[in-house]
Amino acid sequence: MEATVSDERPSPEGPATFREVFAQREYRAVFTASTLGWIGDYIAKAAVTLLIYRETESVALSAAAFAVSYLPWIVGGPLLATLAERYPYRRVMVTCDLVRMALMLVIAIPGMPSPAILALLFLATLANPPSQAARSALMPLILSGDRLVVGLSVNASVGQAAQVVGYLAGAAVAAANPAAALLINAGTFGASAVLVRLGVADRPPAMTAAHRSHLLRETGEGFRIVFGTPVLRAIAILVFSAMLFSIVPEGLAAAWAGRHADDMERGAAQAVIMAANPVGFILGGLIVGRAVTPARRLALMRPLAVVAPLTLVPALLDPPPLVVALMAAACGFAVAGMLPMANGLFVRALPDGFRARAFGVMATGVQVIQGLAVLVTGLLADRFSIPLVVGVWSAAGVLLMALVALNWPSPATVDAAVTAAQQGGRPVAKPDGSAEVPPQPSRSPGGPGRTPAGGRGPGDHPDGGRSGESGRHWHVVT
């Protein structure tokens, strides 16, 4: 099937339906496997944190057990994600699931010392970047057009729900038997591997052996394509800027709840504030993704990006916890309304053969920026009041988002980037600041028409479909 720009731009007609998305057999397999993995991961986080605390009675070590899952992204996320480009996506996902299943079974062995638990947990989380990168790169081969955007909205919303369910279930199970929670997590990885192996078609790697170079060089190409392409760079700045502000209420929830201990029990206030953003995200992803037309979603993307930090500016008035929760939920709603569309546009402007690497760049950026935002606002809150810090921080976010929206690439530049990506090339800048698509060589198996990264042209997909790829969880397709 020949891909065209008109097929990929949002249609003024109604959006794709959930029925259409779930009618795709491969999507159902990947969706179910992902949901199981998410729930299992959060159950394990709760269990390991409690297990370490019981063994050591150290808050610092229990916090380290929780934070260790973020380390692979920080120390080598893009590099590990690049591995997914070298091998068939299905094989990468199945292998990573089996490795994590085996390591979780070892961690569950009674009497395992705490240092060994932390080390094994770190090894298990090293499989996260390549696994998530492969899944992200696979999604646009399964879904196309607005089905991809709706699928991303479903993934993002279910991912947030899985976080809530996983933490609650993990805390309940771990309180009785932490090893049982770890065994449940191992079981979810095993089930995920089976679902992917049986439900996903085997496709060749995005990067052939002939086009491999050095792993570091290939990783660098991922950074260059994201930050060297105007449209991809604009989307990256938009997403990273949104992450700077949406995570703050959740990160400061414990301290914020303590300011109004008389209005509401402190633990309940913290839980309400922390849960509000994910709940708003779930509602925003499902409502905007399903009820708003594709063309309107595209038009709303930049306004919603400005609205996200704007919802938190009233923190300056020092509202009670329930109002803080409503503000956080509104922020989550706005981010969820904007993020899948940004993901979908990122997909269409991203050449085949770079998807897993681009995922590594974006996912790592999201993780690092969220962590820095909580760290910086936490340090500022030690010197100034939390309402002042959050209110001013968010007001600065409104200005930043307004600048990002005003400097958004022109429609001609976006169209050229999408067309070039579909044809396996990159847009060439013209003197007037717009872009044109360079002429593409004819394509033949193994011929000169293949992209440097081993990408395929629109007609070269084994399933005849279109290519493309898009967090809170970022799918360079979440």
Side-chain angles (χ1 to χ4, degrees), residues 12 143 151 270 272 434:
L143 301 174
Q270 179 182 347
V272 167
S434 62

Side-chain angles (χ1 to χ4, degrees), residues 124-146:
T125 58
L126 286 176
N128 290 348
S131 175
Q132 293 179 27
R135 182 180 68 236
S136 180
L138 178 66
M139 283 288 290
L141 302 179
I142 299 172
L143 301 174
S144 63
D146 195 53

Side-chain angles (χ1 to χ4, degrees), residues 164-218:
V164 176
V165 172
Y167 280 153
L168 291 176
V173 175
N177 188 344
L182 295 171
L183 291 175
I184 290 173
N185 190 28
T188 62
F189 283 132
S192 175
V194 172
L195 285 167
V196 171
R197 178 62 181 81
L198 298 179
V200 174
D202 192 21
R203 295 174 173 85
M207 184 190 303
T208 64
H211 294 96
R212 291 183 187 176
S213 57
H214 191 281
L215 191 60
L216 288 174
R217 181 177 299 173
E218 294 165 8

Side-chain angles (χ1 to χ4, degrees), residues 198-452:
L198 298 179
V200 174
D202 192 21
R203 295 174 173 85
M207 184 190 303
T208 64
H211 294 96
R212 291 183 187 176
S213 57
H214 191 281
L215 191 60
L216 288 174
R217 181 177 299 173
E218 294 165 8
T219 304
E221 289 173 352
F223 279 93
R224 282 192 292 273
I225 191 100
V226 171
F227 295 107
T229 305
V231 173
L232 298 181
R233 181 172 62 245
I235 296 170
I237 293 173
L238 181 76
V239 171
F240 291 160
S241 299
M243 295 302 104
L244 271 174
F245 309 99
S246 61
I247 192 65
V248 170
E250 193 173 340
L252 300 183
W256 213 339
R259 289 184 57 84
H260 296 274
D262 296 335
D263 298 341
M264 191 176 187
E265 196 274 323
R266 181 168 181 169
Q270 179 182 347
V272 167
I273 294 173
M274 292 190 74
N277 193 280
V279 169
F281 195 100
I282 293 168
L283 293 175
L286 295 178
I287 293 174
V288 177
R290 180 64 190 92
V292 181
T293 64
R296 181 62 59 85
R297 266 189 259 127
L298 181 63
L300 287 175
M301 185 171 68
R302 282 174 285 167
L304 285 173
V306 177
V307 167
L310 184 62
T311 60
L312 300 177
V313 173
L316 288 167
L317 302 177
D318 194 13
L322 286 179
V323 176
V324 172
L326 289 175
M327 290 160 46
C331 180
F333 188 100
V335 171
M338 172 270 295
L339 196 59
M341 199 67 210
N343 271 325
L345 185 57
F346 193 92
V347 167
R348 295 189 289 271
L350 183 65
D352 192 4
F354 289 92
R355 296 184 193 126
R357 282 174 279 181
F359 173 87
V361 172
M362 293 299 296
T364 300
V366 166
Q367 297 286 344
V368 171
I369 286 172
Q370 285 183 326
L372 285 176
V374 173
L375 177 62
V376 172
T377 53
L379 290 174
L380 289 173
D382 277 341
R383 301 193 60 183
F384 308 98
S385 71
I386 291 179
L388 179 64
V389 170
V390 176
V392 173
W393 182 266
S394 301
V398 174
L399 295 176
L400 175 60
M401 284 301 199
L403 288 174
V404 172
L406 290 173
N407 288 280
W408 194 255
S410 67
T413 301
V414 174
D415 286 343
V418 170
T419 303
Q422 290 170 352
Q423 296 179 353
R426 304 189 197 186
V428 177
K430 294 165 62 176
D432 63 0
S434 62
E436 63 181 357
V437 180
Q440 301 298 317
S442 61
R443 296 182 181 271
S444 59
R450 291 189 67 86
T451 65

